[in-house]
Amino acid sequence: GQQLNQSPQSMFIQEGEDVSMNCTSSSIFNTWLWYKQDPGEGPVLLIALYKAGELTSNGRLTAQFGITRKDSFLNISASIPSDVGIYFCAGRQTGANNLFFGTGTRLTVIP
Amino acid sequence: GAVVSQHPSWVICKSGTSVKIECRSLDFQATTMFWYRQFPKQSLMLMATSNEGSKATYEQGVEKDKFLINHASLTLSTLTVTSAHPEDSSFYICSASQNSYNEQFFGPGTRLTVL
């Protein structure tokens, strides 16, 4: 299947700091999604992006659909302890109904 | 809205037995349901896609005779792991969407441990 690479693999930050993570692929996707997964739980959708160049916010979260359609980034501003978890990007290609998930970024917020 | 449940949330079974996991969409009709497997510290890997009333489509490398999927109604899909072995121990997550191209809403997952 398609490989979506996320970086960084893990992050340790102080509460209140901003966070940036990205997701890249060698293939083009027409939809990019960002999910958060807490331990022992299923992923929860944070932001969905449908157009190249689109910039979308959800509270303290902002995500952008890369202009090349091969990448996306997620920013979290003013991090808080409950932001801890694993963040996954996921992409869907034109005409397909399945998602390809990224390798994940594990975020730890130090109070 | 868009709540998906899974049952059981965890299960421990002996090697050689079969285990059934249920995935239900509670407040919407799910034409399409997806089954994923996630090993510790790894990403979600799609196992199969099922459309209500049709046979499931399995991803390459997933044995359809071992992982039986039934999607008999618009709110229920089941995954049966037949003759489970320790290497089948994993976190199984389902997702559901109203149609093939709508957003997927994920269940809370089922942790399977095979002794």
Side-chain angles (χ1 to χ4, degrees):
Chain A
Q2 302 293 336
Q3 181 77 16
L4 273 65
N5 295 306
Q6 285 185 243
S7 66
Q9 191 173 14
S10 63
M11 305 178 73
F12 291 80
I13 61 168
Q14 289 288 141
E15 183 177 358
E17 287 184 352
D18 297 343
V19 172
S20 184
M21 60 189 78
N22 66 23
C23 183
T24 60
S25 170
S26 58
S27 302
I28 290 174
F29 289 92
N30 73 331
T31 300
W32 284 93
L33 305 165
W34 284 93
Y35 290 88
K36 178 175 183 271
Q37 185 180 29
D38 291 328
E41 299 287 335
V44 174
L45 181 65
L46 300 174
I47 292 181
L49 303 158
Y50 302 104
K51 279 173 52 175
E54 180 181 355
L55 183 71
T56 297
S57 294
N58 177 8
R60 293 178 296 108
L61 278 61
T62 302
Q64 184 157 30
F65 190 143
I67 200 74
T68 65
R69 297 176 179 262
K70 293 183 179 181
D71 62 344
S72 177
F73 73 73
L74 174 71
N75 285 344
I76 305 173
S77 62
S79 59
I80 58 178
S82 60
D83 290 334
V84 165
I86 304 177
Y87 291 80
F88 289 102
C89 63
R92 181 165 55 219
Q93 295 179 308
T94 303
N97 60 1
N98 55 310
L99 295 177
F100 294 100
F101 277 81
T103 48
T105 293
R106 183 181 297 272
L107 177 65
T108 301
V109 179
I110 303 167
Chain B
V3 178
V4 177
S5 70
Q6 280 184 241
H7 178 79
S9 55
W10 59 269
V11 56
I12 301 173
C13 70
K14 290 183 178 179
S15 187
T17 61
S18 295
V19 174
K20 181 186 283 189
I21 302 170
E22 294 184 347
C23 177
R24 294 181 185 273
S25 57
L26 299 184
D27 51 4
F28 67 100
Q29 293 188 322
T31 305
T32 306
M33 287 186 168
F34 304 83
W35 287 95
Y36 295 82
R37 182 167 50 184
Q38 185 178 34
F39 291 109
K41 298 191 177 182
Q42 292 190 22
S43 188
L44 283 75
M45 296 299 294
L46 180 66
M47 299 175 66
T49 302
S50 73
N51 291 298
E52 185 262 340
S54 304
K55 286 185 180 179
T57 302
Y58 290 80
E59 294 298 302
Q60 194 171 6
V62 178
E63 301 172 57
K64 61 179 182 181
D65 293 330
K66 180 169 182 62
F67 298 99
L68 302 178
I69 291 172
N70 184 283
H71 190 171
S73 79
L74 286 171
T75 58
L76 174 64
S77 176
T78 60
L79 167 68
T80 301
V81 183
T82 62
S83 188
H85 290 284
E87 58 265 30
D88 298 323
S89 298
S90 188
F91 195 49
Y92 291 85
I93 307 172
C94 73
S95 71
S97 65
Q98 288 181 300
N99 64 51
S100 295
Y101 303 99
N102 272 19
E103 297 317 323
Q104 296 181 29
F105 298 97
F106 285 82
T110 296
R111 182 159 303 283
L112 170 64
T113 301
V114 185
L115 302 175

